[in-house]
Amino acid sequence: MILPGATLGVLGGGQLGRMFVMAAHAMGYRVIVLDPDPHSPAGLIAEQHLRADYQDHAALQVLGDTCSAVTTEFENVPAASLDYLARLCPVRPGPAAVAIAQDRIREKRYIQEQGLATAPFAVIEEPEDLDEAFARLDPPLLLKTASLGYDGKGQAPVDSLEQARAAFAELGGQPCVLEARVELERELSVILARSLKGETAVYPVGENHHVDGILDTTIVPARMPAAVTDQAVDMARTLAESMDYVGVMAVEFFHTRQGELLINELAPRPHNSGHYTLDATITSQFEQQVRCLCGLPPGDTLLLSPVVMVNLLGDLWQPEPPWEKLFAYPAAKLHLYGKRVARPGRKMGHFNCLAPELDNALAQVERIREALSVKR
């Protein structure tokens, strides 16, 4: 076990890194952040901020030599950097697990190899692959880059072979997946924590609503039959165990109108849809990240109250939202990420609204949205 007083490292200094640092500090750990951004939200509050590229071997050496263990706040850290660090200190989750989530082709194939369902898809590496894909996939379809896409970026809806060819060219001709657009009933996510000893703690399933490809709202508990949420939890556990995963992981699901439960993607880290845990569960997903990194047993994931989480995007800053209107609601909890520049579509913060009954939390959220002019 790595106990309080030790120094931990995190690759990436955005809002997820910032909330990891806050949780680690509360538990008595010191933190070093590696992030090239001089205004990194996590770097601003850590004991040390290494302002360097993720492939800078000198900075990686400092991190590995100084830290008892290292984690990551995002999955697109170069694999070679994770391998380099793993020779110096424990890296959790391990490079092999992170590598699966770095590439949609690898990820979807891995999910299916575990006997778990995804939406029908085809691998597109050359323009000619589109012809075969359209022969077996029925539009509407979605073309997604295999790497680096997030929050709706790196993807394009396509309804014809001609549109797909044009979209593939616009995406730079890089490897993609062409995926069937299923008829959605709900989008769900499971957040779990798995320890070094294989102990697994699972949070209540979240019901997610997206706007323009960006998560807008997470509702917990999800308004779904127990049979569906239990199945989602079982599928997420299967993935974590097959990977011998150590850390916090999110698994996103499509629940179709035909009753199918399909895995959309996984994230080897805390997730936006788990931000409700900061206020509504005994142990937040960020404390779990610290616990898993340090070889501690997972904390209790008991839901203390129904909760609705709402993302706050940069569109709201004109120049500053009227926070006094949010604070008029005693059960609303505001979390801002310390970012200097607000841009449309950029996640600047979120708020959680708690209430004894879910309908009451949803009603309060609607009033707060109107007061803040939060679009949906």
Side-chain angles (χ1 to χ4, degrees):
M1 289 186 181
I2 300 168
L3 297 176
T7 298
L8 309 177
V10 59
L11 291 161
Q15 65 263 25
L16 299 179
R18 181 184 179 92
M19 288 181 271
F20 169 83
V21 173
M22 294 168 72
H25 282 171
M27 297 171 70
Y29 295 92
R30 298 167 57 84
V31 184
I32 300 177
V33 171
L34 174 58
D35 189 296
D37 181 3
H39 306 296
S40 152
L44 292 173
I45 63 171
E47 275 73 17
Q48 185 177 354
H49 177 194
L50 297 172
R51 301 173 181 85
D53 185 84
Y54 297 118
Q55 300 182 80
D56 185 318
H57 278 203
L60 292 170
Q61 190 73 41
V62 170
L63 197 67
D65 287 344
T66 310
C67 296
S68 298
V70 173
T71 191
T72 178
E73 73 139 18
F74 71 117
E75 54 267 36
N76 290 319
V77 173
S81 298
L82 293 175
D83 289 335
Y84 186 93
L85 275 172
R87 295 196 293 267
L88 303 173
C89 69
V91 175
R92 298 171 184 151
V98 175
I100 292 170
Q102 287 181 332
D103 183 280
R104 282 194 172 100
I105 297 170
R106 189 183 304 127
E107 178 182 75
K108 289 181 180 297
R109 284 174 171 166
Y110 184 85
I111 291 167
Q112 291 190 343
E113 286 166 3
Q114 310 318 308
L116 304 173
T118 69
F121 74 96
V123 174
I124 309 299
E125 296 178 319
E126 303 290 344
E128 292 74 22
D129 295 334
L130 290 165
D131 297 270
E132 182 183 344
F134 264 81
R136 63 184 184 85
L137 295 176
D138 295 324
L141 305 170
L142 198 60
L143 187 68
K144 301 179 179 180
T145 57
S147 61
L148 299 178
Y150 66 97
D151 287 347
K153 299 177 177 65
Q155 56 185 259
V158 294
D159 295 319
S160 68
L161 182 56
E162 292 71 24
Q163 284 183 348
R165 286 172 176 155
F168 185 63
E170 288 175 9
L171 293 172
Q174 60 183 300
C176 292
V177 294
L178 186 65
E179 180 181 292
R181 296 169 69 184
V182 299
E183 294 184 343
L184 275 178
E185 181 68 26
R186 289 280 195 280
E187 292 185 74
L188 307 172
S189 60
V190 173
I191 312 288
L192 61 80
R194 189 170 186 273
S195 75
L196 194 59
K197 294 182 178 180
E199 306 155 295
T200 304
V202 184
Y203 287 98
V205 177
E207 174 187 337
N208 300 324
H209 298 265
H210 292 77
V211 175
D212 297 330
I214 302 173
L215 180 64
D216 175 72
T217 309
T218 296
I219 298 167
V220 182
R223 296 169 296 181
M224 296 296 293
V228 175
T229 56
D230 289 348
Q231 183 186 357
V233 168
D234 288 344
M235 292 170 75
R237 282 183 183 273
T238 296
L239 268 184
E241 289 168 4
S242 72
M243 298 162 69
D244 196 19
Y245 191 85
V246 178
V248 173
M249 182 171 75
V251 184
E252 296 182 79
F253 294 86
F254 295 144
H255 184 245
T256 73
R257 291 179 184 172
Q258 293 75 32
E260 295 178 290
L261 195 58
L262 309 174
I263 295 179
N264 176 30
E265 60 186 19
L266 61 91
R269 52 171 172 77
H271 193 259
N272 193 172
S273 67
H275 288 349
Y276 74 88
T277 66
L278 286 164
D279 300 304
T281 58
I282 289 179
T283 309
S284 78
Q285 64 172 342
F286 300 100
E287 180 180 334
Q288 295 285 37
Q289 188 180 19
V290 177
R291 285 172 168 265
C292 293
L293 178 61
C294 294
L296 307 176
D300 197 328
T301 57
L302 178 69
L303 185 69
L304 301 173
S305 165
V307 57
V308 180
M309 187 283 300
V310 179
N311 270 330
L312 297 169
L313 304 183
D315 315 60
L316 199 59
W317 269 247
Q318 297 177 358
E320 189 76 14
W323 297 126
E324 69 279 3
K325 295 182 180 180
L326 183 145
F327 289 130
Y329 293 84
K333 309 286 286 185
L334 178 65
H335 299 266
L336 296 179
Y337 302 152
K339 296 180 179 179
R340 297 183 65 197
V341 179
R343 294 189 299 270
R346 190 183 196 196
K347 294 172 183 173
M348 300 296 292
H350 71 271
F351 69 88
N352 291 323
C353 194
L354 289 72
E357 302 294 334
L358 186 56
D359 286 347
N360 185 260
L362 286 163
Q364 289 190 59
V365 161
E366 290 309 308
R367 291 194 290 270
I368 295 170
R369 281 183 181 279
E370 185 176 352
L372 296 180
S373 299
V374 177
K375 72 174 186 178
R376 58 180 310 165

